[in-house]
Amino acid sequence: RSKERTDVSVLQNIPGNHGFEFNFPIDAGNYWLKFVVNNKNNTNNTILGPYPVTVTTPLTGTVTLTSQSGIVTLGNGATLTGTGGENTHVTIAAGATVTFSDVDITNYNRHEEGELPSFITCQGDATIILAKGTTNTIIGGQYLTPCIQVGPQNTTLTIKGYGTLVLRSWGWGSCIGGRPKQACGNIVIKGGTLDLSTKIEYQEQTLSAYAACIGSSGNGSSCGNITISGGNIRAESSFG
């Protein structure tokens, strides 16, 4: 099924409605996607792709990251732990509640500009529980992405628990929010200790982000409502 995404045209400053979101059931595996873009006169159609796509089955139970971990999709009830590697990207399935327990995804080596996935991506409504007594660290960010990417408009990311969450981003990426030129959903913080900064120390230089710690990334993004009802938060933003 599909639905119209009017926010795409607004954010890209394009007249008319050109954004669509498609959802269709397929099995886990590797696929190639190709799109045909028709103009209003049905001439000079544009073919986009093919693009490689990997579809994974959401994991439950305890999921342990290693240096070899790639794309990991968490389902409802999953507990994430361990230290990821250079190509680790975690997706939280829509509607899932997951627990972070001593997670470490630190990557100083991928600072190139490009369309890279966020380290943590919420596909829809999501709840992250910070396990008591644990420290969960995501450092490095990427040039055009937040550390934790909130789901699309009208969804909500909730963060709660009694653990610690350390986030460092740079470029145009917020610590918790949406991608540049995109709209994201709501952010609710109910608990935990959050240590957030949009600058990192890398190769004897300080790299800063033109973004908020919580909310919009830079370069034309927007965010839903932000509600903070608990927890301890330290937020340091250079330009956001």
Side-chain angles (χ1 to χ4, degrees):
R1 65 186 188 274
S2 66
K3 67 177 181 180
E4 192 173 279
R5 288 283 301 275
T6 57
D7 59 302
V8 173
S9 298
V10 172
L11 290 172
Q12 298 294 335
N13 195 27
I14 302 173
N17 296 326
H18 303 283
F20 294 90
E21 178 180 306
F22 294 89
N23 294 281
F24 45 91
I26 57 176
D27 295 327
N30 297 315
Y31 299 88
W32 292 90
L33 292 183
K34 182 182 291 185
F35 303 90
V36 178
V37 181
N38 296 319
N39 66 21
K40 62 182 180 181
N41 297 318
N42 291 321
T43 59
N44 298 321
N45 297 329
T46 301
I47 298 177
L48 303 177
Y51 302 108
V53 175
T54 299
V55 179
T56 59
T57 301
L59 302 174
T60 58
T62 299
V63 179
T64 302
L65 298 177
T66 71
S67 61
Q68 301 303 311
S69 296
I71 298 175
V72 176
T73 302
L74 302 179
N76 189 44
T79 295
L80 186 67
T81 188
T83 300
E86 181 176 344
N87 297 308
T88 299
H89 302 282
V90 177
T91 297
I92 301 176
T97 295
V98 302
T99 299
F100 283 10
S101 181
D102 285 325
V103 175
D104 188 337
I105 306 176
T106 300
N107 187 349
Y108 293 106
N109 298 320
R110 297 191 65 186
H111 299 282
E112 69 271 20
E113 181 176 354
E115 291 297 324
L116 300 172
S118 302
F119 286 132
I120 308 291
T121 300
C122 302
Q123 292 184 326
D125 291 326
T127 298
I128 297 174
I129 300 173
L130 306 174
K132 185 176 181 179
T134 67
T135 298
N136 304 279
T137 304
I138 303 173
I139 294 180
Q142 293 178 3
Y143 190 79
L144 292 174
T145 62
C147 293
I148 299 179
Q149 182 174 326
V150 181
Q153 282 183 311
N154 302 317
T155 66
T156 299
L157 167 64
T158 301
I159 298 175
K160 61 183 183 178
Y162 298 96
T164 298
L165 180 63
V166 179
L167 304 178
R168 299 288 185 270
S169 66
W170 80 289
W172 297 101
S174 60
C175 293
I176 306 170
R179 296 174 72 94
K181 296 184 178 180
Q182 293 185 10
C184 73
N186 308 308
I187 302 169
V188 176
I189 299 174
K190 294 183 175 181
T193 298
L194 278 61
D195 183 352
L196 315 175
S197 178
T198 57
K199 64 180 182 180
I200 63 174
E201 302 298 326
Y202 176 68
Q203 293 185 349
E204 299 184 354
Q205 58 181 324
T206 299
L207 303 175
S208 300
Y210 295 86
C213 287
I214 304 173
S216 301
S217 292
N219 199 15
S221 71
S222 63
C223 179
N225 297 322
I226 300 172
T227 303
I228 300 174
S229 60
N232 299 301
I233 301 175
R234 186 194 78 89
E236 177 187 28
S237 180
S238 299
F239 303 101

